[in-house]
Amino acid sequence: MLATRQRADTLAHSEPAGPPRSLWADARARFLRNRAALAGLVILILVGGFAMLGPLIAQNSIEEINWSILGNVDNAGGPCFLSGPDNEIPPCSETGLWFGTDAQARDLFARTVQGTQISLMVGMIGALIAVIVGTLYGAIAGYFGGRIDNVMMRIVDVLMSIPYMFVLILLLVVFGRSILMLFVGIGLISWLDMARIARGQTLSLRGKEFVEAAIATGVPPMRIILRHIVPNLLGVVIVYATLLVPSMIIYESFISFLGLGVQEPLTSWGALINEGSDQMRQGLWMLAIPLFFFVVSLFAFFFVGDGLRDALDPKDR
């Protein structure tokens, strides 16, 4: 009895609770409490700033050859912090060779900037294509159900049984090696997992009251899918897209590492890593610098994706 009275007094003197927070406000608060996800977001902002502002800092073109360094035995000069008596590089403030040069005596800073731009662009656009196609496909299959759902998902099963990398390499060989084919090949094949996820979520949403009310008022099926089903899939879609971007970057880097990706004079992280791996004895920086950007960006994307997944998980609310 005494404990009950003390508990009542405590509740009576406690401060009134604030207004309830929305789903997105609650998710934002929980995301900001995740230090790993927050650190990953900061890293991604820095990498994005490097990709956007790098061309303003680079003083040399990606194709410009430093002929004074090309005459050396190694055919490459180290970055600013390795300049010394054995490294014939003029001061960086004069040459702009902040990351040194590659084996062809081209500015590695300018090439790393372009490699970052292309790798991030391929990853984000490829993930965007996969998310759009997969979400619409899965939502249509899950909403209509029955025979339509069965046929559409059997098509997904057949496509998933085909080796993904083999198809991508075949597309690049048959239709030519270009950035456009990378976008199409990576994006239009990687939507299969997103279709399954969207279909499963749609099956649980189509029996909700707001969907039944829309059907009762005569709203067309495609309008229900676009205005009622898809917006309720945004949480899952955002999380999956964040986790899909690093996968797209890995695929592009692997293809470029094999020499089937972007072609000269363009470059990407995979192409730079491939070139640096051939010059490890002459200059380790040619491998270490693009590899650093590649690894750090991948970990940052994974941390942000995990943070968003935890923040948007309704079981944690």
Side-chain angles (χ1 to χ4, degrees):
M1 187 68 179
L2 180 59
T4 305
R5 184 176 299 173
Q6 290 177 350
R7 191 181 302 114
D9 293 340
T10 302
L11 293 175
H13 292 86
S14 60
E15 295 182 359
R21 292 185 298 184
S22 64
L23 170 64
W24 296 106
D26 186 56
R28 182 175 64 252
R30 279 185 284 128
F31 180 83
L32 294 177
R33 289 197 299 267
N34 191 328
R35 295 184 178 179
L38 199 58
L41 181 61
V42 172
I43 291 174
L44 289 181
I45 293 175
L46 293 176
V47 173
F50 173 78
M52 291 186 294
L53 301 178
L56 303 178
I57 302 175
Q59 301 181 19
N60 302 290
S61 170
I62 60 172
E63 303 179 38
E64 183 178 348
I65 298 176
N66 193 314
W67 294 102
S68 62
I69 297 177
L70 189 63
N72 295 339
V73 177
D74 293 338
N75 289 342
C80 295
F81 52 84
L82 293 180
S83 298
D86 298 329
N87 199 333
E88 299 178 3
I89 293 185
C92 291
S93 59
E94 298 178 7
T95 61
L97 299 174
W98 308 104
F99 291 172
T101 60
D102 60 4
Q104 286 75 40
R106 295 172 296 185
D107 187 2
L108 188 58
F109 180 88
R111 293 182 63 78
T112 304
V113 170
Q114 188 190 64
T116 304
Q117 293 174 341
I118 291 181
S119 293
L120 291 179
M121 183 171 59
V122 170
M124 293 182 178
I125 295 181
L128 182 63
I129 295 174
V131 164
I132 293 175
V133 175
T135 301
L136 292 177
Y137 190 93
I140 293 173
Y143 177 78
F144 288 102
R147 183 175 298 178
I148 295 177
D149 179 29
N150 190 32
V151 172
M152 293 180 69
M153 297 316 295
R154 296 298 75 76
I155 294 175
V156 171
D157 294 337
V158 171
L159 292 177
M160 292 190 72
S161 65
I162 301 175
Y164 171 81
M165 198 56 66
F166 172 77
V167 174
L168 181 56
I169 293 175
L170 185 63
L171 287 175
L172 293 173
V173 171
V174 173
F175 296 100
R177 294 171 288 182
S178 64
I179 298 181
L180 178 61
M181 284 310 304
L182 278 176
F183 290 154
V184 175
I186 292 177
L188 292 183
I189 300 178
S190 57
W191 60 269
L192 302 174
D193 289 332
M194 186 68 244
R196 283 187 164 186
I197 295 173
R199 181 244 183 190
Q201 294 294 320
T202 304
L203 289 176
S204 63
L205 288 174
R206 68 178 183 177
K208 298 294 184 180
E209 292 80 2
F210 61 90
V211 176
E212 294 180 351
I215 296 175
T217 55
V219 179
M222 286 306 300
R223 183 174 297 179
I224 294 176
I225 293 174
L226 295 176
R227 291 192 177 183
H228 298 283
I229 300 295
V230 173
N232 284 277
L233 299 177
L234 284 180
V236 177
V237 168
I238 291 173
V239 173
Y240 184 77
T242 308
L243 297 174
L244 191 62
V245 171
S247 300
M248 300 293 99
I249 295 176
I250 291 174
Y251 291 144
E252 184 277 328
S253 299
F254 178 72
I255 291 297
S256 297
F257 188 85
L258 296 178
L260 297 174
V262 294
Q263 300 299 302
E264 293 286 352
L266 302 178
T267 188
S268 67
W269 283 337
L272 290 173
I273 293 172
N274 184 24
E275 296 173 2
S277 62
D278 296 333
Q279 305 293 330
M280 291 180 61
R281 294 184 179 181
Q282 286 75 18
L284 187 60
W285 69 85
M286 288 182 279
L287 172 63
I289 291 176
L291 187 62
F292 170 78
F293 280 91
F294 176 74
V295 172
V296 167
S297 299
L298 289 187
F299 274 103
F301 272 114
F302 283 128
F303 286 149
V304 171
D306 288 338
L308 287 175
R309 181 181 58 191
D310 295 338
L312 295 172
D313 190 355
K315 297 180 181 179
D316 294 337
R317 298 207 312 270

